[in-house]
Amino acid sequence: MIDFRTHPDRYHHWTLKVNERVAELILNVDEHETIGTGYQLKMNSYDLGVDIELADAIERLRLTYPEVTTVLVRSAKDRVFCAGANIGMLAGATHQHKVNFCKFTNETRLFMEDAPANFVAIVEGTAAGGGYELALSCDIIVLVDDGSATVSLPEVALLAVLPGTGGLTRLTDKRKIRRDRADYFCTLEEGIRGQRALDWNLVDHVIPRSRLGSLLESLVPEASSSAPTPNGINLNELNREVSADAIEYPHVRVKLDRELGVARITILGPTAVPSSAEALHGQEDASWLIATARELNDLICHLRFNEPTLGTLELMTRGDLATAQHYSQSLEAWRDHWIVREGLDLWRRTLARLDLTSRSLIATIATDSCFAGPLAELIWCADRSFFLDNAMTGMVVNPMNLDAFPMMNGLSRLASRFLGEPERLGELPAQFGVELDAATADHLGLVTFTPDEFDWDDEVRLALSARNGFSPDALTAMEANLRFVGPETMATRIFGRLSAWQNWVFNRPNAVGPEGALRRYGTGQMANFQRERI
Amino acid sequence: MELIDYDTQIPNNVALASDDRLKRALEQWHPGYLNWWNQMGPNGFSESEVYLRTATGVDPKGWAQFQYVKMPEYRWGIFLAPGDPERKIGFGEHAGEPVWQEVPGEYRAMLRRLLVVQGDTEPASVEQQRHLGATAPSLYDLRNLFQVNVEEGRHLWAMVYLLQRYFGRDGREEAEALLTRRSGDEDRPRMLGAFNEQTPDWLSFFMFTFFTDRDGKYQLEALAQSGFDPLARTTRFMLTEEAHHMFVGESGIGRVIEATTSAMVQAKIDDPFAVDRIRSLGVIDLPTLQRYLNFHFSVSLDLFGAEASSNAANAFAAGLKGRFNEHKIDDDHQLASATYPVLRLEGANIVTRDEPALTVLNARLRDDYANDCANGVKRWNRILEKAGIDYRLTLPHVGFHRQVGEFQMCPVDPEGVVHQATSFEDLVATYLPTQADREFVASLMQPVYERGSYATWIAAPKVAIDNKPGDFEFVRLHG
């Protein structure tokens, strides 16, 4: 079982050093410490285990070390920054693992870009493939030019696959590199170094090692004297109990219905409301806001990697709606406070991860539901929702639902939902804070179906079992198409292209067939390509 | 621009005078090369006349033309060993096909990298050795140093020729970059570790030419098998020169041992560990010699890279870089299913495991190299034996003091024992030259520039070069 819980004290591959406003993330991959078997993580190459630590470090930098304004990402290994995803791991992994590995690493890269601190990649030696993509995800790339250091995306030339962590898209969309230059760069096994890397905007600074220190000093902004930085909170290890057919966290309960291929997820609403933002801050990682988001995040990752055959997630909540709404109202009032902002952002990232999860999502709103605030988003994350029509209320819309949790397409889930009926969004402010029953929610277009008590069990059961009868591949593709409506952003392009092109290439014989480049890499045998264009 | 008569100034057998593209490229590169030589070549001897051999042709007569020459005026030439129009690729997936006369597009990057890595080592050693002239133990040794230096310079030319002739703009850029990296420079170091180490004294120089130049020999031997014919022919000719460099190393250490043993015999010292007494005779004690050997052998092993290497496998499969003596090996030259025994660390034990031969070509080349080194050490031990000194030099285990590959930073001692309680650093401190060793050796490094005189710590050669006697004026120091 792959466990996503870790702590800097237990990292095998990264070191997180914090020195007041400057943190260092130092990559020194332990080549023997692998998630799978049959490969070694040479040259600072990575597998999921390395990325789990990186993701953990990025979360801690935000929540535990808010004083950090600059993060230096560097390698402890001589003459190599990072060689990217390990080829032996990719060649030996199942398709399912490869796809989910890429998805997770992409989320981690986007979360780096999302973090308030400025990330500076210090590339000493080679940054190849995923290594350069790691640098591309930083805000600034410094190439320490020793005459040999290069950046490269050699996937096409060497492996017959694509850069899997957004490299192509970041070249053209983030760094605005001309497409003909990008084309040339992406076919060069050996990459580009020195002045040309700078001229083409592949990096931001090219300097000799002896001048690195003074450059870094100039990149770290002066301490701002105006706002005192908040105190970070400790992130303790999540408690959970995993048994054969259940997973229990303090705020999240899951029953695994293997026969129907459903994970029934119940999120418990808050039971009390802190008296002030400071009091909420004082609860540290035990606050409902932080703890529940962390647990849900961990659960999504766990299900993705460890429970691939549970194709549907039923999303439920349980608790006192009035308390959940009071909690949400308080969050609305405290949104200028650091812990609330970070807490809502943590929910935003977690919900975005759920959007990107290749499982059917069905939300059910029934007796004792408390879909308010962040929890209400689950209804619109879902591919379909059911609200029991028995005159009980179960959900509340709040202002935060229009602006606190944008999806990766840049729109709120409600704006995405009402792309064709923008007037619906205008109706919502009148309902802010109102506990809604099924009929009203249906009238507002907020839910899909509202069966009554007589039909409820059958309707929900049928929806779930029908889902279980379709092709999982077709469902994954269909859901991904329908979920991300409207405008494209760099993030949606990255994931869309990852799903469409990379995952296609990952299935093609030219990459993974017995004579394919990925399979033959490192054996010394040359790939033998099927020549037809598709 | 002043026109250079290339056929006169650059002896060659590649029709340089009629190759406009190449001529233009070399015209641009040549001033930079001379500039590099003047900056980074032997320090302080540019006016001296050195009795050097210059290659002017590829037949045995042509490449051993001896004459006095000032080094900056040395005629660095471009030579390919004679070609064979019938030659076929000898290994890999293209085995049996005619050799390539132009770079195959799909292997361009791989081939360029091989050339650049090889090319980068050539000027590096010149840079490492540039201060040694100031402490030469004799004119004969001074000449040998300079011969090695100018020929390493010519080997740089050889690689630059291939880069410029066959790799277009990229090749020209790489050729430029070869002149801008500097051994041991913090900002622009040479590409391989051993070529950024210092060569602070003559004992290091002899060790370097024996061990590190021998790595060069094995790399060149592997490239001499290449299906890219111009590379094969270039490296074959380079090997004739490389042999002299290793001779300088082997005979140099041999003469150090002779000086030590005869001083010990004369002073009636039997105990090779009576270090202080031996050192007081102005010679280098054998345990110090062993520690120098430990250092140079181990850092040279690192040059072979990790045991398992996909780059090496790819280069073999592509037909670009073969095994040592590939043409004499009796197998399928494909290695599709062959295995090769490789030393691996298993817990606290070093074990031999059979692994796919194609993936561990580096280990094989390294083993061939180590065997060759062992033979040289045997010849040194014969000197000790003859002198009746009860001490033998040995090669340390390949796991000792390694920075690359399977035994990287592992606490393996020179006997091959994996230590549990002793750290890598502690072992290194025990078995590599100490600061005191280096200071003692440095104290011996006083120049001897009189004809026929030799420093106390090194014996005169039995025969010098070009059939000249040991008191020949090998270098006219002031022109």
Side-chain angles (χ1 to χ4, degrees), chain A residues 31 40 42 79 145-148 158 184 188-191 193 196 208-211 520-526, chain B residues 93 107 109-110 112 169-170 173-174 177 181 186-192 196 310 313-314 317-318 358-359 408:
Chain A
E31 62 183 55
Q40 292 181 347
K42 297 228 163 112
R79 293 195 187 198
D145 185 18
D146 62 358
S148 316
L158 280 183
Y184 177 68
L188 284 183
E189 182 182 325
E190 70 278 20
R193 64 172 181 229
R196 189 187 259 188
R209 180 166 294 132
S210 55
R211 297 218 328 262
R520 285 199 160 174
Y521 182 81
T523 65
Q525 286 178 297
M526 299 283 149
Chain B
E93 302 199 351
Y107 303 140
M110 208 192 302
R112 198 178 82 186
R169 178 193 155 151
D170 291 351
E173 283 181 6
E174 293 289 4
R181 286 186 285 270
E186 183 197 7
D187 288 338
R188 298 183 78 79
R190 291 291 170 186
M191 297 171 92
L192 301 176
N196 290 302
S310 50
N314 290 341
L358 192 52
T359 62
Q408 184 179 17

Side-chain angles (χ1 to χ4, degrees), chain A residues 152-188:
Chain A
S152 65
L153 292 177
E155 285 86 348
V156 169
L158 280 183
L159 305 169
V161 298
L162 300 183
T165 332
L168 299 179
T169 307
R170 280 196 181 81
L171 283 186
T172 53
D173 290 33
K174 182 180 184 182
R175 300 195 67 91
K176 308 277 193 288
I177 291 165
R178 238 168 55 194
R179 59 167 276 212
D180 54 345
R181 287 178 168 172
D183 174 278
Y184 177 68
F185 174 64
C186 294
T187 57
L188 284 183

Side-chain angles (χ1 to χ4, degrees), chain A residues 210-472:
Chain A
S210 55
R211 297 218 328 262
L212 180 62
S214 55
L215 174 73
L216 292 181
E217 272 171 36
S218 75
L219 293 177
V220 177
E222 295 288 315
S224 92
S225 50
S226 55
T229 50
N231 291 325
I233 59 168
N234 280 316
L235 298 178
N236 295 296
E237 174 117 346
L238 290 175
N239 287 318
R240 65 176 201 200
E241 233 168 89
V242 178
S243 56
D245 50 10
I247 307 166
E248 297 217 341
Y249 299 84
H251 305 86
V252 181
R253 305 283 156 82
V254 189
K255 288 209 168 71
L256 310 178
D257 181 342
R258 297 189 185 282
E259 199 174 337
L260 211 54
V262 178
R264 300 180 192 277
I265 302 169
T266 303
I267 302 177
L268 306 183
T271 51
V273 182
S275 56
S276 64
E278 288 70 27
L280 189 149
H281 193 166
Q283 294 174 345
E284 300 215 10
D285 64 343
S287 74
W288 181 89
L289 177 70
I290 301 292
T292 313
R294 288 183 71 212
E295 291 168 19
L296 181 58
N297 188 61
D298 184 72
L299 173 67
I300 298 166
C301 294
H302 172 82
L303 292 174
R304 280 187 187 176
F305 282 90
N306 298 316
E307 296 287 355
T309 57
L310 297 174
T312 301
L313 312 184
E314 185 184 1
L315 304 170
M316 298 174 282
T317 56
R318 195 169 73 224
D320 179 47
L321 183 61
T323 308
Q325 175 51 22
H326 183 193
Y327 200 102
S328 301
Q329 247 172 351
S330 302
L331 294 180
E332 291 283 4
W334 302 331
R335 276 176 72 174
D336 285 341
H337 196 286
W338 171 78
I339 189 65
V340 174
R341 216 167 46 235
E342 279 298 330
L344 294 178
D345 273 345
L346 180 60
W347 273 96
R348 172 172 55 78
R349 295 193 295 280
T350 303
L351 292 162
R353 209 191 276 284
L354 190 57
D355 290 331
L356 286 166
T357 300
S358 61
R359 309 294 165 94
S360 298
L361 305 176
I362 308 280
T364 55
I365 309 159
T367 311
D368 293 339
S369 285
C370 58
F371 287 94
L375 293 180
E377 293 291 315
L378 296 169
I379 300 171
W380 310 306
C381 263
D383 301 299
R384 226 183 271 176
S385 56
F386 295 85
F387 197 160
L388 175 63
D389 187 5
N390 65 351
M392 296 274 297
T393 54
M395 64 181 290
V396 185
V397 181
N398 282 284
M400 69 173 75
N401 297 120
L402 289 180
D403 63 2
F405 316 105
M407 300 172 66
M408 287 207 172
N409 63 5
L411 302 181
S412 68
R413 283 179 190 76
L414 285 170
S416 295
R417 182 177 186 84
F418 295 130
L419 197 69
E421 309 166 81
E423 65 279 6
R424 291 273 193 183
L425 287 176
E427 296 168 18
L428 292 175
Q431 302 292 339
F432 282 161
V434 179
E435 297 187 6
L436 303 175
D437 60 15
T440 320
D442 186 34
H443 177 72
L444 291 167
L446 296 174
V447 294
T448 318
F449 299 116
T450 54
D452 61 18
E453 279 173 322
F454 295 102
D455 294 335
W456 174 262
D457 286 349
D458 278 345
E459 292 274 347
V460 172
R461 185 179 51 77
L462 280 173
L464 294 175
S465 67
R467 218 69 186 177
N468 199 33
F470 296 126
S471 151

Side-chain angles (χ1 to χ4, degrees), chain A residues 483-505:
Chain A
R483 281 178 196 173
F484 296 95
V485 300
E488 289 272 13
T489 62
M490 189 178 80
T492 61
R493 277 192 290 275
I494 285 173
F495 285 107
R497 291 163 183 182
L498 177 74
S499 311
W501 292 114
Q502 177 74 312
N503 295 349
W504 173 69
V505 169

